[in-house]
Amino acid sequence: FSEKATIGGGMATNSSGPKTPYYNLPRDLILGAKIVDPNGIVVGTGGKTVKNVSGYDVSKLMLGSYGSLGIICEMTMRLLPLPEAMATGLYFFKDFPGAAAFADELLNTGMLPAAVEVMERSCYGSLAVEGAPEVDGAWFVAVAMEHFEPAVERMKKDCAEMAARNGAIKTGVVDSEDAHALFWLKVGDLIPVGASPDGKYVSVKMNYPISCWKDIAGFTVEAFEKTGAPFKVMAHAGTGVCLATVDISGVDGAIADTVRELAGKCGGQGGKLTVLYAPTGLKSALPVWGEAGSDFILNQRLKRKLDPAGTMCPGRYVGGL
C-alpha cells in the first residue's frame, strides 16, 4: 500500500518490501521514537545517533506491535543516499528448479543485488512496465540492481551469464530509472493489492530460515494447485519470505484447509505464517497469526506491564493481546 501507507503505519506493522536484502528492515533504520503510552504520557526513546542506547532499545519494541503497546507519534530514522545507477534484470525459466538455481547462484556470489524475486508467470501481468520484455516460461526472476555505475554494469553482465548457465529461455533489462522505480513499486504492492479487485481472495505471508526458501515456495505452489483456484506466488529469495494470494471464489472451505497446511509446513521449518488479508466471514476459520511461539509468554508480560488495563487495541495482536 505504498500510495496510502504512513511511516508510522509501516513501523507499527513492521512492514517491509522486496529490497530488504540491501536496505535492511525497519528495525535497522529506526534510531528513536516518541510514543504516547496508555496513560496519555508522551515517552521519548532512543536518540538521533546510531549509538545512543544503553540498555533496552524501547523504540524497536514498537515495531510490529500493531498499536497494542502505545501510539507512535514521532520517529527518527537513519537515511541512506540514492544509488548512482539503477536497473532491473528479468530472467525467464521454463520451470521452478531453473529459476531457483539461478537465484541461489546469484545470492552466493559477492554481488549485492537490492532484491531477488522469484515469481510464477501469473505475477508478470500485474508488473508490466515500459521497456520490459514479454513473459516467457512458467517462472521468472527479477533482480534489482542499485549501486555505482560500474557495479550495475558488472551485475548485468554476470547475471546474464548465470541465467544462461541455469537454462534461462529469455533475459531482459529495464534501464530506465523511472521504469525501474515503477516496476519495484508494483512488486511491493503485488500481494495482496494485485489480487482480485472484489476482495474475494486470501493473502498470506510466510517467514522461515532462508535455507528453506525453495522448499516452502515449491510446497506453496503445489498446495494451491490442488485447490484449482487462481493464485500468485512470490518468494523474496534473499530474505526467507514468501507471499501468496489465492482467489477464493467458490473454494472458501478448501482454502482454509490449505492455509492451515501451509502454516504447519512453515512451523515445521522453524518459521511462521501470517494471514495478510481475508474476507471477514472467512477470517475466523484461518490461523491469522499462525501458531503462537515460545516467545508468546514474553509478549503477555510486556502487555501486562505496559498496558495493564488493556486500553490499546484490545484483542488486536497475537493470541488476543
Side-chain angles (χ1 to χ4, degrees), residues 267-299:
Q269 299 282 18
K272 192 172 184 179
L273 176 143
T274 304
V275 176
L276 298 178
Y277 177 86
T280 303
L282 182 61
K283 192 171 291 186
S284 61
L286 297 173
V288 175
W289 292 105
E291 294 295 327
S294 58
D295 57 349
F296 180 62
I297 188 171
L298 296 178
N299 289 330

mmCIF file of all heavy atoms in Angstrom, residues 267-299:
data_model
loop_
_atom_site.group_PDB
_atom_site.id
_atom_site.type_symbol
_atom_site.label_atom_id
_atom_site.label_comp_id
_atom_site.label_asym_id
_atom_site.label_seq_id
_atom_site.Cartn_x
_atom_site.Cartn_y
_atom_site.Cartn_z
ATOM 1 N N GLY A 267 5.781 -23.917 10.202
ATOM 2 C CA GLY A 267 6.118 -24.223 11.584
ATOM 3 C C GLY A 267 7.117 -25.351 11.682
ATOM 4 O O GLY A 267 8.024 -25.332 12.519
ATOM 5 N N GLY A 268 6.977 -26.351 10.805
ATOM 6 C CA GLY A 268 7.896 -27.472 10.807
ATOM 7 C C GLY A 268 9.306 -27.096 10.400
ATOM 8 O O GLY A 268 10.269 -27.791 10.743
ATOM 9 N N GLN A 269 9.438 -25.981 9.679
ATOM 10 C CA GLN A 269 10.754 -25.499 9.248
ATOM 11 C C GLN A 269 11.290 -24.411 10.175
ATOM 12 O O GLN A 269 12.286 -23.758 9.862
ATOM 13 C CB GLN A 269 10.665 -24.940 7.820
ATOM 14 C CG GLN A 269 10.222 -25.948 6.773
ATOM 15 C CD GLN A 269 11.333 -26.886 6.353
ATOM 16 O OE1 GLN A 269 12.331 -27.024 7.046
ATOM 17 N NE2 GLN A 269 11.165 -27.537 5.209
ATOM 18 N N GLY A 270 10.606 -24.191 11.285
ATOM 19 C CA GLY A 270 11.043 -23.148 12.207
ATOM 20 C C GLY A 270 10.579 -21.764 11.824
ATOM 21 O O GLY A 270 11.123 -20.751 12.288
ATOM 22 N N GLY A 271 9.543 -21.687 10.972
ATOM 23 C CA GLY A 271 9.029 -20.400 10.528
ATOM 24 C C GLY A 271 7.611 -20.154 11.010
ATOM 25 O O GLY A 271 7.126 -20.798 11.941
ATOM 26 N N LYS A 272 6.933 -19.235 10.322
ATOM 27 C CA LYS A 272 5.597 -18.853 10.749
ATOM 28 C C LYS A 272 4.807 -18.279 9.581
ATOM 29 O O LYS A 272 5.360 -17.609 8.706
ATOM 30 C CB LYS A 272 5.696 -17.802 11.864
ATOM 31 C CG LYS A 272 4.393 -17.530 12.593
ATOM 32 C CD LYS A 272 4.641 -16.631 13.788
ATOM 33 C CE LYS A 272 3.376 -16.430 14.583
ATOM 34 N NZ LYS A 272 3.592 -15.573 15.765
ATOM 35 N N LEU A 273 3.511 -18.542 9.572
ATOM 36 C CA LEU A 273 2.611 -17.976 8.566
ATOM 37 C C LEU A 273 1.715 -16.927 9.208
ATOM 38 O O LEU A 273 1.238 -17.112 10.332
ATOM 39 C CB LEU A 273 1.767 -19.080 7.939
ATOM 40 C CG LEU A 273 0.703 -18.653 6.924
ATOM 41 C CD1 LEU A 273 0.595 -19.685 5.793
ATOM 42 C CD2 LEU A 273 -0.679 -18.481 7.588
ATOM 43 N N THR A 274 1.492 -15.845 8.467
ATOM 44 C CA THR A 274 0.566 -14.798 8.893
ATOM 45 C C THR A 274 -0.399 -14.517 7.753
ATOM 46 O O THR A 274 0.018 -14.440 6.592
ATOM 47 C CB THR A 274 1.315 -13.502 9.248
ATOM 48 O OG1 THR A 274 2.300 -13.778 10.233
ATOM 49 C CG2 THR A 274 0.354 -12.444 9.775
ATOM 50 N N VAL A 275 -1.676 -14.391 8.052
ATOM 51 C CA VAL A 275 -2.664 -14.029 7.031
ATOM 52 C C VAL A 275 -2.684 -12.512 6.888
ATOM 53 O O VAL A 275 -3.000 -11.793 7.841
ATOM 54 C CB VAL A 275 -4.064 -14.562 7.407
ATOM 55 C CG1 VAL A 275 -5.100 -14.100 6.378
ATOM 56 C CG2 VAL A 275 -4.054 -16.078 7.509
ATOM 57 N N LEU A 276 -2.336 -12.021 5.701
ATOM 58 C CA LEU A 276 -2.315 -10.580 5.453
ATOM 59 C C LEU A 276 -3.709 -10.037 5.171
ATOM 60 O O LEU A 276 -4.044 -8.931 5.571
ATOM 61 C CB LEU A 276 -1.404 -10.270 4.258
ATOM 62 C CG LEU A 276 0.074 -10.635 4.396
ATOM 63 C CD1 LEU A 276 0.799 -10.310 3.094
ATOM 64 C CD2 LEU A 276 0.709 -9.882 5.553
ATOM 65 N N TYR A 277 -4.500 -10.811 4.446
ATOM 66 C CA TYR A 277 -5.857 -10.354 4.103
ATOM 67 C C TYR A 277 -6.760 -11.561 3.923
ATOM 68 O O TYR A 277 -6.361 -12.577 3.353
ATOM 69 C CB TYR A 277 -5.861 -9.534 2.814
ATOM 70 C CG TYR A 277 -7.267 -9.115 2.424
ATOM 71 C CD1 TYR A 277 -7.828 -7.954 2.946
ATOM 72 C CD2 TYR A 277 -8.041 -9.907 1.586
ATOM 73 C CE1 TYR A 277 -9.134 -7.596 2.636
ATOM 74 C CE2 TYR A 277 -9.351 -9.555 1.274
ATOM 75 C CZ TYR A 277 -9.882 -8.400 1.802
ATOM 76 O OH TYR A 277 -11.174 -8.054 1.502
ATOM 77 N N ALA A 278 -7.983 -11.442 4.400
ATOM 78 C CA ALA A 278 -9.020 -12.453 4.179
ATOM 79 C C ALA A 278 -10.373 -11.792 4.402
ATOM 80 O O ALA A 278 -10.499 -10.879 5.229
ATOM 81 C CB ALA A 278 -8.855 -13.632 5.132
ATOM 82 N N PRO A 279 -11.408 -12.203 3.685
ATOM 83 C CA PRO A 279 -12.752 -11.673 3.933
ATOM 84 C C PRO A 279 -13.168 -11.928 5.377
ATOM 85 O O PRO A 279 -12.797 -12.950 5.970
ATOM 86 C CB PRO A 279 -13.623 -12.470 2.959
ATOM 87 C CG PRO A 279 -12.690 -12.917 1.883
ATOM 88 C CD PRO A 279 -11.387 -13.158 2.564
ATOM 89 N N THR A 280 -13.946 -11.025 5.924
ATOM 90 C CA THR A 280 -14.332 -11.120 7.335
ATOM 91 C C THR A 280 -14.997 -12.450 7.667
ATOM 92 O O THR A 280 -14.708 -13.062 8.694
ATOM 93 C CB THR A 280 -15.286 -9.964 7.692
ATOM 94 O OG1 THR A 280 -14.647 -8.718 7.393
ATOM 95 C CG2 THR A 280 -15.647 -9.999 9.168
ATOM 96 N N GLY A 281 -15.852 -12.937 6.799
ATOM 97 C CA GLY A 281 -16.569 -14.173 7.082
ATOM 98 C C GLY A 281 -15.681 -15.399 7.141
ATOM 99 O O GLY A 281 -16.025 -16.393 7.775
ATOM 100 N N LEU A 282 -14.539 -15.330 6.487
ATOM 101 C CA LEU A 282 -13.633 -16.482 6.446
ATOM 102 C C LEU A 282 -12.535 -16.385 7.499
ATOM 103 O O LEU A 282 -11.946 -17.400 7.885
ATOM 104 C CB LEU A 282 -12.998 -16.581 5.051
ATOM 105 C CG LEU A 282 -12.046 -17.743 4.784
ATOM 106 C CD1 LEU A 282 -12.766 -19.082 4.944
ATOM 107 C CD2 LEU A 282 -11.450 -17.620 3.392
ATOM 108 N N LYS A 283 -12.279 -15.201 7.995
ATOM 109 C CA LYS A 283 -11.108 -14.975 8.851
ATOM 110 C C LYS A 283 -11.127 -15.831 10.113
ATOM 111 O O LYS A 283 -10.087 -16.314 10.570
ATOM 112 C CB LYS A 283 -11.018 -13.495 9.227
ATOM 113 C CG LYS A 283 -9.708 -13.098 9.864
ATOM 114 C CD LYS A 283 -9.593 -11.584 10.016
ATOM 115 C CE LYS A 283 -9.459 -10.900 8.680
ATOM 116 N NZ LYS A 283 -9.199 -9.446 8.833
ATOM 117 N N SER A 284 -12.300 -16.056 10.686
ATOM 118 C CA SER A 284 -12.376 -16.833 11.927
ATOM 119 C C SER A 284 -11.943 -18.280 11.728
ATOM 120 O O SER A 284 -11.569 -18.962 12.685
ATOM 121 C CB SER A 284 -13.799 -16.795 12.491
ATOM 122 O OG SER A 284 -14.711 -17.357 11.553
ATOM 123 N N ALA A 285 -11.975 -18.770 10.480
ATOM 124 C CA ALA A 285 -11.586 -20.155 10.204
ATOM 125 C C ALA A 285 -10.106 -20.285 9.868
ATOM 126 O O ALA A 285 -9.620 -21.394 9.649
ATOM 127 C CB ALA A 285 -12.419 -20.705 9.043
ATOM 128 N N LEU A 286 -9.398 -19.163 9.834
ATOM 129 C CA LEU A 286 -7.993 -19.169 9.424
ATOM 130 C C LEU A 286 -7.058 -18.913 10.597
ATOM 131 O O LEU A 286 -7.406 -18.194 11.541
ATOM 132 C CB LEU A 286 -7.755 -18.079 8.368
ATOM 133 C CG LEU A 286 -8.515 -18.232 7.051
ATOM 134 C CD1 LEU A 286 -8.309 -16.997 6.191
ATOM 135 C CD2 LEU A 286 -8.063 -19.477 6.305
ATOM 136 N N PRO A 287 -5.845 -19.471 10.554
ATOM 137 C CA PRO A 287 -4.833 -19.180 11.578
ATOM 138 C C PRO A 287 -4.165 -17.837 11.274
ATOM 139 O O PRO A 287 -3.040 -17.783 10.761
ATOM 140 C CB PRO A 287 -3.859 -20.350 11.431
ATOM 141 C CG PRO A 287 -3.941 -20.725 9.982
ATOM 142 C CD PRO A 287 -5.381 -20.462 9.567
ATOM 143 N N VAL A 288 -4.850 -16.734 11.597
ATOM 144 C CA VAL A 288 -4.425 -15.405 11.161
ATOM 145 C C VAL A 288 -2.995 -15.089 11.584
ATOM 146 O O VAL A 288 -2.203 -14.550 10.810
ATOM 147 C CB VAL A 288 -5.395 -14.333 11.702
ATOM 148 C CG1 VAL A 288 -4.900 -12.938 11.357
ATOM 149 C CG2 VAL A 288 -6.789 -14.549 11.121
ATOM 150 N N TRP A 289 -2.643 -15.415 12.820
ATOM 151 C CA TRP A 289 -1.283 -15.154 13.306
ATOM 152 C C TRP A 289 -0.429 -16.409 13.320
ATOM 153 O O TRP A 289 0.694 -16.390 13.841
ATOM 154 C CB TRP A 289 -1.332 -14.576 14.725
ATOM 155 C CG TRP A 289 -1.909 -13.200 14.802
ATOM 156 C CD1 TRP A 289 -3.151 -12.856 15.264
ATOM 157 C CD2 TRP A 289 -1.289 -11.975 14.400
ATOM 158 N NE1 TRP A 289 -3.330 -11.501 15.187
ATOM 159 C CE2 TRP A 289 -2.200 -10.936 14.656
ATOM 160 C CE3 TRP A 289 -0.038 -11.660 13.853
ATOM 161 C CZ2 TRP A 289 -1.910 -9.600 14.392
ATOM 162 C CZ3 TRP A 289 0.251 -10.336 13.576
ATOM 163 C CH2 TRP A 289 -0.677 -9.322 13.840
ATOM 164 N N GLY A 290 -0.917 -17.512 12.798
ATOM 165 C CA GLY A 290 -0.184 -18.760 12.910
ATOM 166 C C GLY A 290 -0.183 -19.260 14.347
ATOM 167 O O GLY A 290 -0.945 -18.795 15.187
ATOM 168 N N GLU A 291 0.683 -20.186 14.636
ATOM 169 C CA GLU A 291 0.799 -20.712 15.986
ATOM 170 C C GLU A 291 1.636 -19.789 16.861
ATOM 171 O O GLU A 291 2.697 -19.316 16.438
ATOM 172 C CB GLU A 291 1.444 -22.107 15.958
ATOM 173 C CG GLU A 291 0.598 -23.174 15.275
ATOM 174 C CD GLU A 291 -0.688 -23.452 16.024
ATOM 175 O OE1 GLU A 291 -0.672 -23.359 17.269
ATOM 176 O OE2 GLU A 291 -1.703 -23.760 15.370
ATOM 177 N N ALA A 292 1.165 -19.503 18.071
ATOM 178 C CA ALA A 292 1.944 -18.682 18.999
ATOM 179 C C ALA A 292 3.214 -19.430 19.378
ATOM 180 O O ALA A 292 3.169 -20.609 19.734
ATOM 181 C CB ALA A 292 1.122 -18.372 20.246
ATOM 182 N N GLY A 293 4.356 -18.757 19.292
ATOM 183 C CA GLY A 293 5.635 -19.388 19.567
ATOM 184 C C GLY A 293 5.989 -19.350 21.049
ATOM 185 O O GLY A 293 5.205 -18.910 21.902
ATOM 186 N N SER A 294 7.205 -19.795 21.339
ATOM 187 C CA SER A 294 7.661 -19.842 22.727
ATOM 188 C C SER A 294 7.862 -18.454 23.323
ATOM 189 O O SER A 294 7.945 -18.298 24.541
ATOM 190 C CB SER A 294 8.976 -20.624 22.817
ATOM 191 O OG SER A 294 9.973 -20.035 21.991
ATOM 192 N N ASP A 295 7.934 -17.439 22.452
ATOM 193 C CA ASP A 295 8.108 -16.072 22.934
ATOM 194 C C ASP A 295 6.782 -15.411 23.331
ATOM 195 O O ASP A 295 6.771 -14.268 23.781
ATOM 196 C CB ASP A 295 8.800 -15.214 21.877
ATOM 197 C CG ASP A 295 8.040 -15.205 20.558
ATOM 198 O OD1 ASP A 295 7.116 -16.019 20.397
ATOM 199 O OD2 ASP A 295 8.388 -14.396 19.677
ATOM 200 N N PHE A 296 5.676 -16.137 23.179
ATOM 201 C CA PHE A 296 4.372 -15.533 23.471
ATOM 202 C C PHE A 296 4.257 -15.099 24.930
ATOM 203 O O PHE A 296 3.653 -14.078 25.239
ATOM 204 C CB PHE A 296 3.245 -16.509 23.123
ATOM 205 C CG PHE A 296 1.874 -15.967 23.379
ATOM 206 C CD1 PHE A 296 1.412 -14.847 22.699
ATOM 207 C CD2 PHE A 296 1.034 -16.564 24.312
ATOM 208 C CE1 PHE A 296 0.144 -14.335 22.938
ATOM 209 C CE2 PHE A 296 -0.220 -16.062 24.553
ATOM 210 C CZ PHE A 296 -0.675 -14.953 23.867
ATOM 211 N N ILE A 297 4.852 -15.865 25.837
ATOM 212 C CA ILE A 297 4.770 -15.511 27.258
ATOM 213 C C ILE A 297 5.442 -14.163 27.528
ATOM 214 O O ILE A 297 4.995 -13.387 28.379
ATOM 215 C CB ILE A 297 5.399 -16.626 28.134
ATOM 216 C CG1 ILE A 297 5.125 -16.338 29.612
ATOM 217 C CG2 ILE A 297 6.897 -16.761 27.869
ATOM 218 C CD1 ILE A 297 5.508 -17.496 30.521
ATOM 219 N N LEU A 298 6.497 -13.846 26.751
ATOM 220 C CA LEU A 298 7.146 -12.533 26.891
ATOM 221 C C LEU A 298 6.220 -11.425 26.403
ATOM 222 O O LEU A 298 6.157 -10.346 26.990
ATOM 223 C CB LEU A 298 8.461 -12.510 26.115
ATOM 224 C CG LEU A 298 9.542 -13.478 26.597
ATOM 225 C CD1 LEU A 298 10.768 -13.390 25.702
ATOM 226 C CD2 LEU A 298 9.922 -13.163 28.034
ATOM 227 N N ASN A 299 5.504 -11.695 25.304
ATOM 228 C CA ASN A 299 4.534 -10.713 24.817
ATOM 229 C C ASN A 299 3.446 -10.451 25.858
ATOM 230 O O ASN A 299 3.010 -9.309 26.058
ATOM 231 C CB ASN A 299 3.891 -11.206 23.514
ATOM 232 C CG ASN A 299 4.841 -11.184 22.343
ATOM 233 O OD1 ASN A 299 5.741 -10.357 22.285
ATOM 234 N ND2 ASN A 299 4.658 -12.101 21.415
#
